């Protein structure tokens, strides 16, 4: 596993060389360190049951709680704290009222460190009014030795406690190099359902160099070579993917780079790190819609060392 220092050196090398894979799970997105994988989940972990219908989690659906929070996002990127609006993504994972002994464990490729006098990890989730769960952390040095860092509990007629309304459960821990966060169910009667949207570092890191813009996930969408400028170099990369697609529901697309089994929908590909960089609008097709995005961002820049550029953080 990469340490933070080694991972950064690799990222810096990639930025300098201008070589990027089409799909990779980013540890950081917009300054937050997001959970990268689910290493354990019990048999009744499922989605919320609204969009789509209830489905038990499997190897191809662990992306439900990986990467940035997405369950309260409409097409314009605006959320109101409520998960079940039309057009929201609505992919969350957890447990319903009467399934006992449930738990989920997520792993961070880049360790979480203790933040003195501040929160270290935030879980974006919702729950029933009588729900309760214990929250635990473990380090890479001792992944089987979890230390309890707090609890999550619903509040009758409040938030958390009103199903469908999101809440940020924040926790601190007096240890560094935390790689695993576990949530374990403590109540299993009516009104104790609990579902999770994302797990992430509580702090936001702003970049001070071009390399850090790429590493901490602040790049402009059309900046395909991650050098902080949208120009002909990016357009050249964009054209190499022109008219390709990897939509898992379309048999005419190329699925050779996808995991087996793949996520069932396009959004799942992006959430699990298999999107194509040139797919700027994240619909799993590279076409005129992506060209429109590229045109809107043409000649934009966010180089921290250039006062003429506009920061994206």
């Amino acid at each position: 596993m990469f340490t933070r220092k080694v991972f950064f050196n690799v990222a810096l090398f990639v930025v300098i060389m201008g070589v990027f894979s089409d799909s990779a799970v980013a540890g950081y997105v917009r300054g937050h360190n997001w959970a990268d994988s689910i290493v354990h989940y019990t048999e009744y972990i499922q989605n919320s049951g609204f969009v789509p219908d209830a489905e038990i989690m499997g190897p191809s659906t662990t992306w439900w709680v990986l990467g940035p929070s997405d369950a309260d996002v409409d097409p314009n990127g605006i959320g109101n704290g409520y998960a079940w609006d039309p057009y929201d993504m609505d992919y969350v994972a957890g447990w319903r009222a009467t399934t006992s002994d449930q738990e989920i464990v997520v792993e961070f490729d880049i360790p979480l460190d203790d933040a003195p006098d501040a929160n270290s990890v935030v879980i974006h989730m919702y729950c029933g009014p009588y729900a309760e769960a214990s929250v635990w952390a473990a380090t890479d040095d001792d992944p089987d030795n979890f230390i309890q860092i707090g609890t999550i509990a619903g509040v009758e007629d409040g938030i958390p406690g009103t199903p469908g309304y999101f809440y940020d459960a924040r926790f601190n821990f007096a240890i560094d190099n935390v790689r695993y966060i576990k949530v374990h169910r403590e109540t299993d009667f009516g009104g104790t359902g609990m579902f999770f949207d994302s797990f992430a570092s509580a702090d936001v890191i702003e970049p001070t160099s071009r390399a850090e813009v790429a590493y901490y996930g602040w790049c402009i969408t059309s900046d395909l070579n991650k050098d902080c400028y949208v120009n002909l170099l990016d357009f050249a990369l964009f054209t190499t993917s022109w008219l390709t697609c990897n939509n898992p529901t379309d048999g005419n697309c190329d699925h050779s780079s996808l995991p087996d089994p793949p996520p069932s929908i396009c959004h799942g590909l992006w959430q699990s790190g298999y999107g194509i960089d040139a797919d700027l609008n994240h619909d799993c097709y590279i076409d005129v819609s992506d060209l429109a995005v590229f045109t809107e961002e043409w000649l934009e820049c966010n180089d921290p060392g250039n006062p003429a550029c506009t920061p994206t953080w």
Side-chain angles (χ1 to χ4, degrees):
M1 294 293 182
F2 286 143
T3 64
R4 185 185 300 269
K5 181 177 180 181
V6 171
F7 196 99
F8 181 77
N9 288 340
V10 171
L12 179 60
F13 172 79
V14 169
V15 170
I16 294 172
M17 295 300 293
V19 179
F20 295 87
S21 62
D22 281 347
S23 58
V25 176
Y28 285 92
V29 178
R30 301 189 70 79
H32 285 286
N33 180 10
W34 303 90
D36 296 280
S37 61
I38 295 177
V39 295
H40 170 68
Y41 58 94
T42 44
E43 61 178 331
Y44 290 113
I45 299 292
Q46 63 180 84
N47 74 2
S48 65
F50 284 80
V51 181
D53 290 339
E55 180 180 358
I56 297 295
M57 177 174 280
S60 65
T61 58
T62 57
W63 55 269
W64 287 342
V65 295
L66 298 179
S69 304
D70 61 357
D72 179 33
V73 179
D74 69 16
N76 298 314
I78 301 171
N80 61 1
Y82 187 61
W84 301 337
D85 294 335
Y87 309 114
D88 280 353
M89 296 296 186
D90 287 346
Y91 289 101
V92 293
W95 46 77
R96 291 185 173 278
T98 56
T99 52
S100 60
D101 296 324
Q102 298 302 297
E103 67 179 22
I104 187 169
V105 182
V106 301
E107 180 179 4
F108 291 81
D109 287 349
I110 304 169
L112 298 167
D113 290 330
D114 175 36
D117 302 320
N119 297 303
S120 299
V121 65
V122 57
I123 304 173
H124 195 55
M125 43 74 67
Y126 65 80
C127 65
Y130 312 113
E132 185 173 339
S134 54
V135 183
W136 306 73
T139 68
D140 189 35
D141 298 327
D142 197 0
D144 296 322
N145 184 19
F146 279 89
I147 300 171
Q148 186 169 355
I149 59 175
T151 60
I152 302 171
V155 177
E156 191 171 4
D157 298 323
I159 297 175
T162 304
Y165 280 92
F166 282 104
Y167 163 75
D168 283 337
R170 298 176 180 272
F171 303 93
N172 197 12
F173 37 75
I175 49 177
D176 288 327
N177 201 37
V178 167
R179 289 282 299 279
Y180 305 93
I181 297 293
K182 175 174 71 175
V183 183
H184 182 84
R185 180 172 200 163
E186 301 294 343
T187 54
D188 61 355
F189 46 87
T192 62
M194 184 175 288
F195 289 87
F196 310 99
D197 180 24
S198 65
F199 296 74
S201 63
D203 60 320
V204 178
I205 300 177
E206 297 184 356
T208 59
S209 67
R210 291 167 61 182
E212 288 185 350
V213 169
Y215 180 65
Y216 293 120
W218 291 106
C219 290
I220 301 168
T221 303
S222 300
D223 179 16
L224 298 180
N225 72 343
K226 309 294 192 281
D227 68 351
C228 295
Y229 295 86
V230 179
N231 51 29
L232 287 174
L233 296 176
D234 304 294
F235 187 68
L237 292 175
F238 178 77
T239 58
T240 62
S241 298
W242 181 247
L243 297 184
T244 62
C245 65
N246 65 346
N247 191 325
T249 65
D250 188 341
N252 295 317
C253 293
D254 180 9
H255 300 154
S256 60
S257 64
L258 304 186
D260 184 23
S264 58
I265 61 171
C266 178
H267 171 63
L269 292 186
W270 278 100
Q271 195 74 354
S272 56
Y274 287 91
I276 302 174
D277 287 350
D279 179 19
L280 305 181
N281 68 347
H282 292 194
D283 68 353
C284 289
Y285 296 89
I286 292 83
D287 52 24
V288 293
S289 297
D290 304 291
L291 182 60
V293 175
F294 192 93
T295 300
E296 289 180 1
E297 296 180 341
W298 177 246
L299 298 183
E300 288 188 9
C301 65
N302 64 345
D303 181 354
N306 185 347
C309 293
T310 302
T312 52
W313 47 91

